[in-house]
Amino acid sequence: MNQNELQQLFPEAKITSAASLGPAYFSLPYQNRWVHIPEHTLSGREKALLKQLLLNEAKTTSEIPKNPWAQFLLGQTTDIPTGLAQTQLLQFRLSYREEDAGSFDQTLWLDAFSQTLPLVRECFFLNGKSGVFILDSPEPYCIDEELAAVLDILDDDFSLRTDLYLGQRWPVDARLPLLFEEERKIFAASRTIAKGSKIITLAAIALPYFISESGNQNPVLQALQTTIGSVDGTHELITAMWRNQGNLSKAAADLYLHRNTLQYRIDRFFDATGLALKSMDDLALAYLAIAAVTAPHTN
């Protein structure tokens, strides 16, 4: 059942990335999101039919590809794929007309996109419209204007829209599936946080997302805190840059450092974390991470 058909049958339905809108709504998974219909508008028979229809669709679209990376990231195996010490996970979400679904060639699209990005080690669809590229990134990768332009060309060629979420660089270890699960949630939330943006990074939406998600308990932010804490002197460095809104000369004066020494420390911090402290988005994320360490926990 496509969205137009669903909303024609149930005009009060709301489709969101949130799993629940409270007890007043009957909620079911729908195309990687959730549909919510006011309880008082549904009969018991309608609820049963919706459960059978939508849950069967969800089961079909959530079949896990027979791919070692997919099996690992989705928690179907604890076997860690070999060959990469660290990776960035580039998630994608496609939007196209339902009538074009039968003619869309997933393999052709993956090949075309992979050719524009030599860092791709593996790629696969998780369902009909979304999936992930495994990037072999020994250094933090940032999407540049050239790739963004190529993305626009591919969208025109395939008559669709592609949204991307570039994750942080993480070690390939037993913790990665949990971080991937959280990054999938962040990507889903970006529909409402960063409307209109085709390329999303954690830094770009960190403040609204983590504030709304009680961020100091979030596994992604906790992992970032660990990474940031592995670099000596980061608290003072980040605080000085934040206090001076990224002004290098003023931050250097606050830290009693030569400007070139401060630049060296910023470069070293980027190599370790992938966060560029002269970018206000990255600086805000780094500051949020160190602030959450000392923030009081609420129950």
Side-chain angles (χ1 to χ4, degrees):
M1 182 186 297
N2 65 39
Q3 184 171 336
N4 287 337
E5 292 171 337
L6 179 65
Q7 302 235 238
Q8 284 177 1
L9 291 171
F10 303 98
E12 304 90 349
K14 299 180 180 181
I15 299 174
T16 75
S17 58
S20 173
L21 293 183
Y25 287 87
F26 177 71
S27 302
L28 287 171
Y30 176 71
Q31 295 184 356
N32 299 312
R33 304 179 75 192
W34 292 80
V35 60
H36 313 278
I37 305 174
E39 283 273 1
H40 73 273
T41 66
L42 295 173
S43 67
R45 177 175 293 182
E46 286 173 326
K47 290 180 183 179
L49 288 172
L50 280 168
K51 279 185 178 180
Q52 184 174 6
L53 178 61
L54 297 186
L55 291 179
N56 282 342
E57 284 186 359
K59 183 178 179 181
T60 300
T61 58
S62 64
E63 290 178 354
I64 298 172
K66 297 185 185 332
N67 178 290
W69 274 100
Q71 299 280 328
F72 171 63
L73 291 176
L74 295 175
Q76 298 301 301
T77 179
T78 56
D79 295 336
I80 300 173
T82 59
L84 291 180
Q86 298 191 67
T87 187
Q88 284 176 270
L89 304 175
L90 178 63
Q91 297 180 60
F92 61 85
R93 180 175 58 231
L94 307 181
S95 302
Y96 51 77
R97 296 177 303 176
E98 293 296 329
E99 55 265 35
D100 293 333
S103 60
F104 176 66
D105 190 324
Q106 292 185 347
T107 301
L108 185 61
W109 184 85
L110 286 175
D111 288 344
F113 192 95
S114 298
Q115 289 174 13
T116 71
L117 194 60
L119 295 173
V120 174
R121 173 65 67 91
E122 184 63 85
C123 55
F124 44 83
F125 275 80
L126 294 171
N127 53 50
K129 292 188 176 181
S130 65
V132 62
F133 292 93
I134 312 297
L135 302 188
D136 184 358
S137 53
E139 297 179 354
Y141 171 69
C142 300
I143 294 177
D144 56 20
E145 293 181 0
E146 182 178 352
L147 180 61
V150 170
L151 182 63
D152 288 337
I153 294 172
L154 284 176
D155 281 0
D156 287 340
D157 288 345
F158 285 86
S159 299
L160 49 74
R161 173 192 167 99
T162 304
D163 294 299
L164 299 176
Y165 174 83
L166 178 63
Q168 294 298 114
R169 185 177 53 155
W170 302 120
V172 179
D173 57 22
R175 185 180 53 170
L176 188 59
L178 175 61
L179 297 176
F180 176 58
E181 180 183 351
E182 290 299 324
E183 288 195 329
R184 291 183 75 188
K185 293 178 182 177
I186 294 169
F187 190 24
S190 71
R191 287 178 182 266
T192 54
I193 296 175
K195 289 182 179 178
S197 299
K198 295 179 68 173
I199 299 174
I200 303 296
T201 63
L202 178 61
I205 63 171
L207 286 176
Y209 179 77
F210 285 125
I211 288 171
S212 66
E213 295 292 323
S214 301
N216 59 351
Q217 300 298 308
N218 187 282
V220 165
L221 196 61
Q222 290 174 346
L224 273 176
Q225 291 163 0
T226 300
T227 302
I228 289 171
S230 68
V231 184
D232 292 338
T234 53
H235 190 283
E236 294 79 6
L237 172 64
I238 294 167
T239 301
M241 288 292 288
W242 178 255
R243 185 166 53 241
N244 292 286
Q245 293 297 286
N247 186 296
L248 212 61
S249 298
K250 291 182 179 179
D254 278 3
L255 294 169
Y256 300 100
L257 294 175
H258 190 278
R259 181 187 170 98
N260 290 344
T261 303
L262 178 58
Q263 182 63 61
Y264 167 76
R265 292 190 180 181
I266 289 173
D267 291 343
R268 188 180 65 173
F269 182 81
F270 175 76
D271 290 340
T273 66
L275 297 176
L277 294 183
K278 289 191 289 185
S279 159
M280 287 308 298
D281 282 341
D282 285 16
L283 177 58
L285 175 55
Y287 186 76
L288 181 64
I290 65 169
V293 173
T294 55
H297 291 221
T298 57
N299 295 322

